[in-house]
Amino acid sequence: MDGESVARDMDAIRTAIGERQISFIGHSYGTFLGERYARLFPGKLRALALDSAMDPHRPNAERYLTDGSVTIDNTLKRLAAWCRKDAACALKGKDLTAVTDTLFARADAGTLRDPGPDGPTPTKIDAAKLSDFLTFALGKGNPESTAQQLAALYTGKGEVRWFPTVTDPVFRIVLCRDYDFRIRDYAQYRAILKRAAKAAPHTRYNAQALDTVLGCQGWTMPPKPRPARAKGELPPVLVANATHDLATPLPGAQRMASSFPKASLFRMDVVGHWLYRRGGTEKAMRVIDAYLTSPKSTLQTREH
């Protein structure tokens, strides 16, 4: 199972229902399928909207991890800027990047403990578990809750909701074929982690991205090459992405947009994944709906 195979299945469905062209909107991994379909069957597309776009250029383990890690580090800085101004921040008056630096120092020293209602519990929190927490708490886009839990870790008093880092095995099956995450040996792995932590000094790494990369080690089937672009005219393509998307970081969406002869990138300055939904990102829905209604209209890169 891989993106190219699914794209060919999509065209078999198009043929079966007798449609000359289709309009396609893909979300998250669906954007990868849309890009593959565009490469294989460009003339069969009326419109192509890609929401929360993956990197189409088969990134290696280091680029995939670094893009995700820098995004989470920038999301922490965004939270820190909010905390400086908003009285709702449980750590108002403190530099949140310095707070996380302190938490990692404690974790490395073996002195960071899981907080409790009356103070620190005996349960140790290591740096890996702290990175897990930061990845998923920051990715939720709830500043008050994240700051409150950081305060609990910092003071030792309160509650933290821990998130298990487990990638869907079905997702691994396809992603390990579409991307090339192979790492030569442990020395290369440690070097990649060190460079990722240097690029994201306050959060170290994106735990979800790391879990995905590690899940592809020892995979018996080699990655599948990117198919050649078939002849045919593509419609203008719309790519939409949040500026702080920890699952599909903005650099991958920028590469996705640049991979098409005619494409527009709609960027929304929010934390989150999957913009085409109600609850804060309706503006993205309107932009995508307008494009799907009239894909030949002139599209320009926009940020909101």
Side-chain angles (χ1 to χ4, degrees), residues 63 70 110 118 137 159 169 194 224-226 235 238 246 258 270 281:
R63 190 169 82 184
V70 169
D118 302 313
E159 181 183 6
K194 185 176 181 179
K224 193 166 187 176
R226 192 181 188 191
L238 175 63
L246 276 64
S258 67
V270 294
T281 57

Side-chain angles (χ1 to χ4, degrees), residues 2-293:
D2 56 84
E4 179 182 340
S5 299
V6 176
R8 294 189 183 280
D9 288 344
M10 288 166 54
D11 199 61
I13 295 171
R14 178 200 60 79
T15 302
I17 61 178
E19 292 290 335
R20 186 177 66 85
Q21 289 184 316
I22 61 171
S23 297
F24 181 84
I25 178 170
H27 309 281
S28 195
Y29 183 71
T31 65
F32 190 85
L33 302 180
E35 189 274 342
R36 287 297 186 259
Y37 189 89
R39 291 187 73 84
L40 294 166
F41 309 103
K44 305 302 182 184
L45 278 168
R46 171 190 166 274
L48 180 61
L50 305 175
D51 169 19
S52 303
M54 295 184 65
D55 190 334
H57 296 305
R58 293 183 67 216
N60 60 18
E62 182 162 358
R63 190 169 82 184
Y64 183 79
L65 180 60
T66 301
D67 281 353
S69 301
V70 169
T71 299
I72 189 174
D73 214 63
N74 289 338
T75 305
L76 175 65
K77 293 172 185 174
R78 177 192 177 100
L79 179 68
W82 166 83
C83 195
R84 285 193 294 270
K85 298 181 295 184
D86 200 309
C89 178
L91 286 166
K92 185 169 174 54
K94 293 190 178 295
D95 180 354
L96 258 63
T97 57
V99 167
T100 59
D101 291 346
T102 298
L103 293 176
F104 273 113
R106 292 180 188 171
D108 291 339
T111 60
L112 183 63
R113 298 290 191 273
D114 195 0
D118 302 313
T121 70
T123 305
K124 288 186 178 183
I125 304 301
D126 62 16
K129 191 167 185 177
L130 180 57
S131 286
D132 287 353
F133 163 75
L134 288 170
T135 296
F136 291 97
L138 289 167
K140 294 290 183 183
N142 187 329
E144 292 93 342
S145 174
T146 303
Q148 188 174 31
Q149 293 179 81
L150 281 172
L153 280 168
Y154 189 71
T155 63
K157 192 172 182 178
E159 181 183 6
V160 172
R161 292 184 291 278
W162 301 104
F163 301 89
T165 309
V166 180
T167 304
D168 185 341
V170 176
F171 183 62
R172 281 182 183 169
I173 288 172
V174 293
L175 204 60
C176 297
R177 283 281 277 158
D178 289 327
Y179 283 179
D180 189 354
F181 289 154
R182 292 174 292 185
I183 297 174
R184 182 180 60 254
D185 52 29
Y186 184 71
Q188 185 186 23
Y189 167 66
R190 294 302 304 173
I192 289 172
L193 271 187
K194 185 176 181 179
R195 288 191 290 269
K198 184 177 181 180
H202 305 298
T203 54
R204 298 199 179 178
Y205 58 79
N206 181 314
Q208 181 179 355
L210 181 62
D211 183 67
T212 301
V213 165
L214 293 178
C216 290
Q217 304 314 304
W219 199 249
T220 56
M221 298 182 71
K224 193 166 187 176
R226 192 181 188 191
R229 190 183 296 279
K231 292 182 179 180
E233 185 177 357
L234 276 169
V237 176
L238 175 63
V239 180
N241 222 83
T243 53
H244 295 80
D245 186 333
L246 276 64
T248 52
L250 183 59
Q254 291 170 325
R255 294 181 197 112
M256 178 68 86
S258 67
S259 71
F260 295 103
K262 293 179 290 183
S264 174
L265 174 61
F266 173 81
R267 292 180 291 190
M268 196 164 189
D269 188 21
V270 294
V271 177
H273 182 61
W274 198 312
L275 294 179
Y276 194 86
R277 58 180 171 81
R278 299 195 182 279
T281 57
E282 285 87 352
K283 186 179 291 185
M285 294 180 67
R286 292 195 294 271
V287 169
I288 294 171
D289 285 343
Y291 162 76
L292 290 173
T293 302

